[in-house]
Amino acid sequence: MRNLIDFLWRHISWIVFAFYVAISCVLLFDRNPYQRSVYFSSANRAAVVVYDLQSEVTSYLGLRKANRDLQLRNGELEMEVINLKAQLNSYRSAAGADTIPADSVLHDYDFVVARVINNSVAQINNYITIDKGRAEGIEPEMGVVDQNGVVGIINVVGEHHAVAISVLNPKLRLSCKVKGSDYFGSLVWDAVSPRYAVLEEMPRHVEFAAGDTIVTSGYSSVFPEGLMVGIISDYKKQHDDNFYALRVELSTDFSGLGYVRVISNRMKEEQDKLEKEARYE
C-alpha cells in the first residue's frame, strides 16, 4: 500500500493533468454537437479498424487448423489413389496375360506379364526394373520382350522385383540374323542413339538390303528364333573386309516401355546342361 501511495505522489502532476484533460473532453463533446459527431465518427472508424484487424488475426489463426485438416485429407486421398493404381495395375497385369497374343515362336516358352517401374535410355549402361520377381517365377537369364520386339535379359532378381539389362547396354550382345537367312551376327548397342544398334560380323556374301528385317537367331536358350529386333537402315564394311556392320533401327521404343513379357524356356535347363557338358569333353 505504501508503494502505491509513493507512486501516486511521485506522478501526481501527470495524474492531475490527465484528469483535467478527461474533464475537458467530456465538457467539449457533451456541450458541442459538431465535436461530438466528429468524435463518434472517429471512434467508429477506429472500432472498424480494430474489428478488421481482429478478424484477420482470427482468420489467420484459423488457417493453421484448416491447413492441417487439408494436409490430413490430402494424405488420405493420396493413399487412396496409390491403392487404386495398385489395383488397376493388378487388373491390367491379369488382363495382359489373356489379351497379349502369344507369338507362334513362343510355343515352347512360358511368359509373365510385368510392368516397367524404372527405365533408362540416356546412360551408357541402361537397365530396366520390373514389378515382378522370384515370387512370380522370374529368374536370371530370362528374356524380356514387348509387343514390338526384344527388350533385354533379366540380370538381377529380388523377391518381388527384377532388373534387366537393356538392349541399350553394350554389355549385352544378342545373336541375330537377317530374316530368311541362316547367317547370324552379334547385335550390340554403340551408345549413340536409343533408336539404333549395330549388327556386327555379318558375312559379306550374305544378301541383304536396307529395310530388311532383323530377328533373333535362336542360337541361345534365352530367346527363340524369329523374334522381331528391327530393320536395316544402313551398313558398312568392318575392318575385316569379309564382314559387314549393319545399322539396325530397333523396333522397340525403349523410351515408352510400359508392360513387358518375361519369357522362360521350358527346355533351357536341359539345353544349357548339354552345351556345358559338350564344352568340357
Side-chain angles (χ1 to χ4, degrees), residues 7-216:
F7 174 81
L8 294 175
W9 182 254
R10 284 196 305 270
H11 299 87
I12 187 65
S13 58
W14 288 103
I15 294 172
V16 172
F17 174 75
F19 176 75
Y20 282 125
V21 169
I23 294 298
S24 300
C25 290
V26 170
L27 293 175
L28 176 65
F29 295 121
D30 185 55
R31 300 295 178 89
N32 298 280
Y34 175 74
Q35 282 81 0
R36 185 166 57 248
S37 65
V38 171
Y39 165 74
F40 284 121
S41 297
S42 300
N44 287 336
R45 285 197 296 270
V48 169
V49 172
V50 172
Y51 290 148
D52 286 342
L53 180 61
Q54 180 185 3
S55 177
E56 290 180 4
V57 171
T58 303
S59 299
Y60 176 76
L61 295 177
L63 285 176
R64 292 183 179 179
K65 182 177 183 302
N67 185 57
R68 183 171 61 253
D69 293 340
L70 285 174
Q71 292 291 343
L72 292 174
R73 182 55 180 161
N74 284 340
E76 293 173 356
L77 291 174
E78 287 177 358
M79 292 305 299
E80 290 181 10
V81 170
I82 291 172
N83 290 332
L84 288 173
K85 284 183 177 180
Q87 293 180 23
L88 181 60
N89 289 330
S90 176
Y91 294 146
R92 283 177 175 173
S93 296
D98 298 326
T99 58
I100 295 178
D103 301 290
S104 59
V105 295
L106 297 178
H107 62 275
D108 287 333
Y109 289 74
D110 297 318
F111 68 90
V112 175
V113 177
R115 182 169 63 95
V116 175
I117 60 175
N118 196 12
N119 178 29
S120 63
V121 298
Q123 307 299 319
I124 296 298
N125 300 310
N126 294 292
Y127 294 88
I128 299 164
T129 305
I130 60 174
D131 67 346
K132 297 294 174 63
R134 192 171 291 105
E136 292 78 24
I138 307 300
E139 297 292 342
E141 297 187 11
M142 285 185 174
V144 183
V145 301
D146 73 350
Q147 69 274 15
N148 297 314
V150 175
V151 172
I153 297 176
I154 296 295
N155 182 34
V156 180
V157 179
E159 190 64 22
H160 298 290
H161 297 85
V163 176
I165 299 179
S166 170
V167 169
L168 304 181
N169 190 321
K171 296 178 181 179
L172 178 63
R173 300 186 72 89
L174 189 64
S175 179
C176 299
K177 65 180 183 178
V178 179
K179 188 175 182 179
S181 168
D182 290 330
Y183 294 96
F184 65 94
S186 294
L187 184 84
V188 64
W189 188 51
D190 58 2
V192 174
S193 168
R195 293 296 299 158
Y196 296 91
V198 178
L199 182 59
E200 299 178 341
E201 301 172 356
M202 180 58 65
R204 184 177 177 182
H205 61 275
V206 177
E207 294 184 0
F208 56 83
D212 285 352
T213 300
I214 301 298
V215 296
T216 52

